Amino acid sequence: MPTTQESSLTDLNPRQLEAVKSVEGPVMVLAGPGSGKTRVLTHRIAHLMRIGVPAYSILALTFTNKAAGEMKERIARLVGEQAARLWMGTFHSIFARLLRVECEKLGFQKNFSIYDAQDSLALIKRIMKAANIPAQQFNPAAIRSRISGAKNQSVSPSEYARLATDQFEEKAARVYSTYQTSLKRQNAMDFDDLLLLPLELFAGSRGVLSKYQDRFRFILVDEYQDTNRVQYALVKLLAAKYRNVCVVGDDAQSIYAFRGADIRNILDTKTILAAADHVIKNNVDQMRKDLWTANDAGDPITVLECEDDRQEAATIVSLIYEESHRLKIDLSGFAIMYRTNAQSRTLEDALRRAGVSYVIVGGIEFYQRKEIKDVLAYLRVLANKADGESLLRIVNYPPRGLGEAALNRLAEFSSEKGIDL
């Protein structure tokens, strides 16, 4: 009687099966929208384990926690409890885990704090204020963006300063250098450091690199077209010894030039797929491929041209009502997708005027809410006494009579003396 894993392979089409069973050496899978790439990755991991590869030797890198969670659940259904031993997660979560083990080699303590975008921006604002760099002239968020961009290209503060071509870049370079020093002093890393520091670690210690090359003999990367220079370098280094790396991506969503494909779509209708295919083919830099599906043609696509955003919103609401009555579908069965969050306001106004209840998916993330960040700041200070940024956040919540001037003087003294706050 066939095993669960073997039986599950019958659900794959020939191209998917080829991708799953091509085990040795580097493999690139070009997967168009809706072509079942998650299915391929999960079955490939299950197949590796079925042929004797230990779960702890497999590293699977994704770009969202949701994708990692879904893949873990699917793999657990295929292989059972062994799935818990996989190293699977986002680039940032995996390498944060690695840094907790190895960070002392870089001069950090294992209880280091991880700063999100808001924490990072708050520190940059403090640095700019101490250096008399006017925020009105040099936008702190823009400077933070430049620093993040430099890190994603593996450009150090000194190199960035050397390459600066205008006043803004010179100021950004000055902040960048102080920013990195402040992070180190506070035993903290930002999200970009979670990838940049492992690269520094591997470059400085062949023994550590060899240890993880031997550990992760099979590496899988989802949404490969989204990798930046640092992520690419990390994967290249880890895979260099055994070369068992499988990447999955879609060149139509990327600047990279992938080669060769015949892509089957299992989710969309023929009409939707044909429309997508015609748009994608206008990209002259992408490889030639034909998207196809065995699904029905489905309903035709309607394209409307409106005078402005208000007319567009009113038309959308009207069409929802019409289709709801015609198809006898509850309003909860409709979804409106928009490109940017700024577009939601006009749509919300139109829905409210029509008396339609709605739910916004997204908005402020749970961990970005002030009360949650305050609680996390307390926990960070308890775990990492050097984390001055978290201390400044909560030192007056609830109020303790410490004024802003006094806190600024303490922060400046801390910086001058090179001691934690």
Side-chain angles (χ1 to χ4, degrees):
M1 184 174 179
T3 65
T4 303
Q5 294 97 321
E6 290 170 334
S7 299
S8 67
L9 295 180
T10 60
D11 297 333
L12 305 175
N13 65 45
R15 289 299 180 91
Q16 291 173 333
L17 190 60
E18 181 184 5
V20 166
K21 289 193 169 184
S22 300
V23 173
E24 298 293 335
V27 175
M28 177 177 285
V29 180
L30 184 62
S35 56
K37 65 183 179 63
T38 303
R39 177 183 294 184
V40 167
L41 285 172
T42 53
H43 280 78
R44 182 180 173 85
I45 292 170
H47 178 68
L48 286 171
M49 294 170 68
R50 183 171 63 85
I51 62 175
V53 177
Y56 58 77
S57 292
I58 300 171
L59 171 63
L61 296 163
T62 66
F63 273 83
T64 67
N65 290 316
K66 182 181 179 183
E70 289 176 351
M71 286 177 63
K72 280 182 182 176
E73 289 178 5
R74 294 189 188 189
I75 294 167
R77 288 198 292 268
L78 291 172
V79 301
E81 295 180 358
Q82 297 179 69
R85 303 184 69 190
L86 289 166
W87 275 58
M88 177 182 289
T90 64
F91 273 87
H92 291 89
S93 67
I94 290 295
F95 287 102
R97 182 177 170 186
L98 184 149
L99 284 169
R100 291 290 180 195
V101 178
E102 308 289 352
C103 66
E104 291 177 347
K105 296 179 177 66
L106 296 169
F108 289 86
Q109 299 174 33
K110 292 185 178 182
N111 62 340
F112 63 82
S113 299
I114 299 174
Y115 284 2
D116 64 15
Q118 289 186 25
D119 302 321
S120 171
L121 184 59
L123 177 55
I124 285 171
K125 286 178 178 178
R126 277 208 304 112
I127 292 169
M128 290 176 64
K129 186 173 182 179
N132 294 316
I133 300 174
Q136 296 84 355
Q137 186 178 355
F138 302 97
N139 188 300
I143 286 183
R144 180 190 168 276
S145 178
R146 294 292 181 92
I147 292 172
S148 179
K151 288 186 175 186
N152 284 328
Q153 294 300 314
S154 197
V155 176
S156 67
S158 59
E159 187 179 1
Y160 188 83
R162 183 176 59 81
L163 297 172
T165 58
D166 56 36
Q167 189 182 26
F168 186 90
E169 289 183 353
E170 289 171 0
K171 297 295 185 185
R174 185 179 169 190
V175 174
Y176 185 8
S177 178
T178 307
Y179 174 70
Q180 288 303 105
T181 302
S182 297
L183 285 173
K184 188 73 171 285
R185 188 177 65 249
Q186 296 183 64
N187 191 34
M189 305 176 189
D190 64 18
F191 275 13
D192 297 316
D193 288 329
L194 297 179
L195 303 183
L196 194 60
L197 289 175
L199 201 59
E200 182 181 323
L201 176 70
F202 293 154
S205 175
R206 299 299 299 176
V208 173
L209 175 58
S210 181
K211 168 185 171 181
Y212 287 100
Q213 286 176 333
D214 289 333
R215 174 69 182 266
F216 303 129
R217 299 194 178 206
F218 290 85
I219 300 172
L220 301 92
V221 184
D222 192 14
E223 304 290 1
Y224 181 67
Q225 77 281 350
D226 291 333
T227 54
N228 60 31
R229 180 179 295 181
V230 175
Q231 291 163 335
Y232 167 77
L234 286 167
V235 173
K236 185 178 180 181
L237 280 172
L238 287 173
K241 190 170 185 178
Y242 295 98
R243 301 182 71 247
N244 295 321
V245 57
C246 172
V247 300
V248 179
D250 180 7
D251 72 315
Q253 303 175 42
S254 170
I255 61 172
Y256 297 99
F258 292 172
R259 297 289 182 265
D262 172 25
I263 299 166
R264 176 183 179 185
N265 184 290
I266 59 175
L267 301 177
D268 296 322
T269 65
K270 283 187 171 68
T271 300
I272 291 175
L273 202 61
D277 200 22
H278 277 82
V279 172
I280 291 170
K281 284 177 179 176
N282 287 317
N283 179 2
V284 296
D285 294 324
Q286 57 111 24
M287 57 150 289
R288 179 73 173 85
K289 57 182 175 292
D290 294 308
L291 304 178
W292 64 278
T293 182
N295 295 340
D296 295 335
D299 294 330
I301 295 172
T302 300
V303 179
L304 296 174
E305 184 175 350
C306 300
E307 292 182 3
D308 54 31
D309 57 344
R310 290 188 296 275
Q311 185 187 20
E312 179 185 50
T315 303
I316 289 171
V317 174
S318 177
L319 287 171
I320 288 174
Y321 266 120
E322 289 177 13
E323 291 299 295
S324 174
H325 289 302
R326 183 176 72 85
L327 300 174
K328 299 189 177 352
I329 297 175
D330 188 79
L331 292 176
S332 62
F334 292 84
I336 302 173
M337 292 181 286
Y338 42 84
R339 190 171 56 85
T340 66
N341 288 331
Q343 292 173 281
S344 72
R345 181 176 175 180
T346 309
L347 289 163
E348 290 184 72
D349 288 343
L351 290 166
R352 281 196 294 266
R353 283 195 297 271
V356 177
S357 298
Y358 61 89
V359 174
I360 294 288
V361 178
I364 298 176
E365 296 180 9
F366 177 77
Y367 287 103
Q368 297 304 318
R369 296 181 183 276
K370 181 186 181 303
E371 61 273 23
I372 301 302
K373 287 186 71 67
D374 287 347
V375 171
L376 290 175
Y378 271 102
L379 295 175
R380 282 177 176 172
V381 171
L382 288 172
N384 174 18
K385 69 174 185 177
D387 190 347
E389 210 56 41
S390 293
L391 178 62
L392 286 172
R393 181 181 182 91
I394 52 88
V395 70
N396 255 340
Y397 290 99
R400 296 183 177 90
L402 285 168
E404 184 177 352
L407 291 173
N408 286 337
R409 284 197 295 272
L410 285 171
E412 289 170 9
F413 181 81
S414 166
S415 179
E416 289 171 4
K417 299 298 182 181
I419 58 176
D420 63 69
L421 191 57

